[in-house]
Amino acid sequence: MPSPSPMITDPNPMLDACFLGPYGENDTLLEKLVTEFLRDHVYWRRNFHPEDPPAIPTDAAFDPGYRAFEARLRRELHVLSASLKKSVPFHSPRYIGHMASDLLLPGLAAQILTLPYNPNNVSEDAAPVTVDMEVDVGLQLARMVGYPHDPALDRCAFGHLTSGGTVANYQAMRLALALKAFPVALRAAGVPDLGVPDDDWAAFNLGPAAGTDLVARWTAWLAARTPRERAAWNARVQAERIEQRGLCDFFAAHPALKTPWVLAPITAHYSWSKGMKLLGLGRAQLRLMPERDMRLDIDALDDTLAACERERQPVLMAVGVFGTTEYGTVDPIDGLVTARDAALSRGLGFSVHVDAAWGGYLATLFRNEDGSLRSRDEVAQGFAHFPSPGVHAATAALAESDSITIDPHKLGYLPYGAGAFVCRDHRAMTLLSESADYVFHDNAARGYRARYRNLGQFIPEGSKPGANVAAVYVTHKVLPLDHAHFGCLPARTVRSAEAFHQAAVAFAARMHPLVRAIVPFPPDSNLVCVAFNPAGNRDLGVANAFVRRLHDQLRVDPGAPLQDRSFFGSVTTLRPQALGQAGMRRILDELGLDAATYDDAEDYLVILRHTLMNPWLIDDRNGISYIDMYFQYLEQRIGALLPHD
């Protein structure tokens, strides 16, 4: 019999009210909220100008055309409802596949409540309420990662929501490029008295902090000119900016400069490749850095930076990943910011961006209620191994990065369409301002909040739903982003990951006669991968085919009833580029695989990937561990797939 996973006793009963629940346990609460606020919305409409007569007659519902329309509407909604029953059951503890789980009720209710108002967060004219909420959401996230978050500070952070982490990463590249090239434009325009470096290379490598200070000095210098001088100087500088000239013309005008590189770990999300193409930098300028055990190799990064210095190759940004989407591993962000500062001291300036689309909300575990950073010993209470010293150091270093991507629709448990971009110093956002006179007004002089009430000037989108913003804002108000509130959720899932790891080791021991099973690397967060190889097999292709057959029992099959599946999981691959040759050999040896069976057609290892987001994976009240049930299910499936005596 399998050894049971430890029960997780949650001292915070508020989690019971946070979700609709695997069994729909909180349906009455959600129904009451939706009904109450739908009625409230209707009353709002009726009281806008109650003297106006109803536009739709009270007897319209009896008209044959009305009734025919209602019948068609109901029919199509029934068809839709029936079709949606084939959806992936993200809400269930039996779903441990991709980065999705049940939705937090505060966000779900807030989004439903806001939808009929249909705010467009491009400007205050279209969203006078939710645009303020979006500015506050940026400050909430800034506080969570340790950025300055007081709008009274000149160097306050700024953040906004996006459709997802992909667009947030684009925004990071867009801002970094504007900030890197702006000092060169000032120099070319001949603006005096700002302390612009004397040559293009030095101007292009000021670094994000000095570059942002230069933007602030330019803004103040321009404001002190007469209106005519201001217009003339502004036109001269704008004509020299990379956004006006375009990449080809800008670099042709500055032959001492090469197109900059973006340095990212090999496990980085494919959005970075797409972003390089979209910005016109070109995929060739994205340089993927080697890793050790699924984490950025800082020594290799240092070597690359040294080569860039020798060859006068500019670097736009270096990217660290805080929770990879495939493995949940955390890059050494502390080493990354140290490398940035060291390179800057030698004249090579670049930005550090952290892609924390997956792991960003783990930072709540590291924050006290006053926003201060908790020690590793404080965070570690209640966990077996989490956080490792490296994860704690990386989390502390988030505050020293220049920008960050966080996805509320992942570990924030909110509906899709809610990513976020946050930069450490909002003054750089001036460079992204896009003027549209028919939409925007001049609010810059009225302060931080007033300035960003016209978000459309600064964001990639031209329209964006305020309902998503309301969902994030209300969730953060109900569950503040610290360890005592929101942090209870990731804490529970990390404990589940530790229990899963323990159960996987016990499973491997039991199944040793039939299959070799290992956890390739200890989890940094709440993702755990497991690798398999049939006992006695030495061929990589055979092992991969076996795991694919096993995964066939863990996938959604649209042609079969959903209930035919006991559990849902996902797969990913291990490659030597991510693990390093030594790490890859270690895993192959532990599995009993022959590295010589690698070939060009299959130079990777297929493994099962488990995202442990659901808060009820271990249900102590009912004495149920879905983790233990999952490994029992794997035993059955492996027994059916493999011949044995």
Side-chain angles (χ1 to χ4, degrees):
M1 289 294 292
S3 57
S5 296
M7 291 293 107
I8 295 178
T9 302
D10 194 336
N12 198 334
M14 74 176 179
L15 292 183
D16 289 342
C18 283
F19 297 91
L20 181 56
Y23 205 69
E25 296 92 334
N26 284 321
D27 60 328
T28 300
L29 174 58
L30 180 59
E31 182 178 346
K32 285 195 300 185
L33 291 171
V34 172
T35 301
E36 175 182 351
F37 290 104
L38 174 61
R39 289 173 176 168
D40 184 65
H41 176 80
V42 170
Y43 298 150
W44 174 74
R45 291 188 178 208
R46 290 177 179 172
N47 286 287
F48 174 58
H49 271 286
E51 70 275 15
D52 293 344
I56 300 173
T58 54
D59 61 352
F62 299 100
D63 185 274
Y66 186 108
R67 298 177 71 174
F69 176 85
E70 180 183 357
R72 290 197 304 274
L73 173 62
R74 288 183 176 276
R75 181 174 64 249
E76 293 305 322
L77 289 176
H78 279 293
V79 170
L80 173 62
S81 180
S83 298
L84 288 172
K85 301 302 183 292
K86 299 176 183 178
S87 296
V88 182
F90 295 133
H91 63 277
S92 172
R94 293 176 178 270
Y95 184 83
I96 50 176
H98 295 284
M99 294 173 168
S101 186
D102 208 353
L103 298 174
L104 280 166
L105 275 184
L108 181 59
Q111 185 162 353
I112 293 171
L113 188 163
T114 309
L115 278 172
Y117 295 89
N118 198 30
N120 176 7
N121 266 40
V122 70
S123 81
E124 61 182 337
D125 288 347
V129 176
T130 53
V131 76
D132 280 336
M133 292 180 180
E134 183 156 0
V135 174
D136 282 335
V137 164
L139 296 172
Q140 291 167 339
L141 293 173
R143 183 178 187 269
M144 182 180 77
V145 300
Y147 283 173
H149 54 275
D150 182 354
L153 298 173
D154 287 343
R155 289 173 170 79
C156 182
F158 168 73
H160 63 83
L161 295 188
T162 63
S163 61
T166 292
V167 175
N169 288 340
Y170 297 164
Q171 182 77 327
M173 294 175 66
R174 181 175 170 234
L175 180 61
L177 183 61
L179 190 56
K180 190 170 185 66
F182 185 67
V184 179
L186 288 178
R187 182 173 179 275
V191 180
D193 306 324
L194 292 182
V196 180
D198 293 334
D199 65 88
D200 281 352
W201 173 261
F204 206 46
N205 284 280
L206 271 184
T212 302
D213 285 340
L214 183 60
V215 172
R217 293 200 302 274
W218 155 251
T219 303
W221 184 88
L222 197 63
R225 308 301 105 188
T226 67
R228 179 173 294 182
E229 290 174 330
R230 191 180 309 138
W233 277 111
N234 191 55
R236 287 179 65 174
V237 172
Q238 292 302 317
E240 297 294 341
R241 289 187 61 187
I242 196 169
E243 294 84 357
Q244 177 68 24
R245 301 193 72 152
L247 293 178
C248 291
D249 191 48
F250 180 86
F251 288 108
H254 304 283
L257 302 178
K258 301 175 184 177
T259 305
W261 289 355
V262 170
L263 309 179
I266 200 158
T267 51
H269 192 258
Y270 63 80
S271 58
W272 293 101
S273 177
K274 291 195 290 186
M276 297 296 286
K277 298 170 186 176
L278 280 172
L279 264 69
L281 292 170
R283 175 60 179 77
Q285 315 312 316
L286 176 63
R287 299 303 171 106
L288 298 179
M289 296 291 99
E291 301 198 350
R292 291 180 186 171
D293 292 331
M294 318 306 297
R295 299 163 185 90
L296 179 66
D297 186 336
I298 294 296
D299 291 339
L301 175 69
D302 287 338
D303 291 343
T304 299
L305 293 173
C308 289
E309 293 171 32
R310 290 193 304 269
E311 298 166 14
R312 306 273 284 188
Q313 169 60 56
V315 176
L316 177 61
M317 66 164 49
V319 179
V321 182
F322 193 80
T324 57
T325 55
E326 292 185 308
Y327 315 106
T329 45
V330 172
D331 284 337
I333 308 302
D334 51 323
L336 192 56
V337 298
T338 298
R340 175 201 61 195
D341 295 345
L344 180 61
S345 70
R346 299 189 298 269
L348 183 71
F350 57 88
S351 298
V352 163
H353 177 77
V354 179
D355 187 347
W358 168 243
Y361 278 86
L362 288 173
T364 57
L365 287 166
F366 298 78
R367 291 288 157 196
N368 288 309
E369 292 174 84
D370 64 0
S372 60
L373 185 72
R374 303 174 76 204
S375 70
R376 179 173 176 259
D377 288 343
E378 289 174 320
V379 179
Q381 294 178 17
F383 300 111
H385 305 288
F386 181 87
S388 68
V391 168
H392 187 272
T395 307
L398 292 176
E400 302 304 317
S401 66
D402 299 297
S403 56
I404 189 165
T405 290
I406 302 169
D407 273 1
H409 65 211
K410 288 190 174 76
L411 269 182
Y413 295 87
L414 289 162
Y416 277 115
F421 165 80
V422 189
C423 64
R424 186 171 53 164
D425 191 333
H426 83 103
R427 296 175 301 163
M429 294 298 296
T430 295
L431 299 178
L432 299 188
S433 179
E434 191 77 28
S435 179
D437 291 340
Y438 68 95
V439 176
F440 307 117
H441 311 295
D442 183 12
N443 285 325
R446 290 198 281 143
Y448 181 98
R449 292 182 183 278
R451 180 188 193 202
Y452 294 115
R453 284 176 66 82
N454 292 315
L455 277 173
Q457 292 183 90
F458 306 99
I459 63 177
E461 301 94 340
S463 299
K464 60 184 304 187
N468 286 14
V469 173
V472 181
Y473 174 80
V474 169
T475 297
H476 292 175
K477 295 294 285 186
V478 175
L479 292 169
L481 302 179
D482 56 60
H483 79 98
H485 296 91
F486 195 100
C488 293
L489 273 172
R492 194 170 176 88
T493 66
V494 170
R495 286 195 288 270
S496 291
E498 292 186 336
F500 191 97
H501 189 184
Q502 177 183 326
V505 172
F507 164 84
R510 293 193 307 273
M511 297 298 291
H512 195 263
L514 280 181
V515 68
R516 303 290 182 266
I518 65 167
V519 176
F521 38 85
D524 280 345
S525 58
N526 39 17
L527 266 74
V528 184
C529 295
V530 182
F532 300 86
N533 179 39
N537 173 60
R538 300 282 291 166
D539 187 87
L540 178 67
V542 172
N544 285 346
F546 169 75
V547 174
R548 291 188 185 100
R549 293 202 312 274
L550 190 58
H551 179 242
D552 283 341
Q553 306 298 313
L554 300 169
R555 293 189 301 117
V556 171
D557 181 357
L562 199 63
Q563 291 77 7
D564 283 357
R565 289 287 187 260
S566 294
F567 286 91
F568 297 85
S570 62
V571 293
T572 187
T573 59
L574 290 180
R575 300 174 184 268
Q577 298 95 323
L579 280 163
Q581 292 293 342
M584 195 71 188
R585 282 195 301 271
R586 172 186 63 80
I587 290 172
L588 294 178
D589 288 345
E590 290 181 15
L591 290 171
L593 289 167
D594 186 354
T597 60
Y598 263 38
D599 56 43
D600 292 337
E602 201 148 359
D603 60 349
Y604 53 83
L605 178 68
V606 180
I607 60 176
L608 291 186
R609 165 183 175 268
H610 309 91
T611 307
L612 306 168
M613 285 181 67
N614 195 288
W616 290 282
L617 280 165
I618 298 178
D619 181 356
D620 56 301
R621 291 193 181 110
N622 294 307
I624 295 174
S625 169
Y626 288 92
I627 293 172
D628 292 338
M629 291 169 60
Y630 171 70
F631 281 105
Q632 291 166 8
Y633 175 73
L634 282 187
E635 288 185 36
Q636 297 168 5
R637 300 318 310 158
I638 289 171
L641 288 173
L642 291 178
H644 56 283
D645 296 333

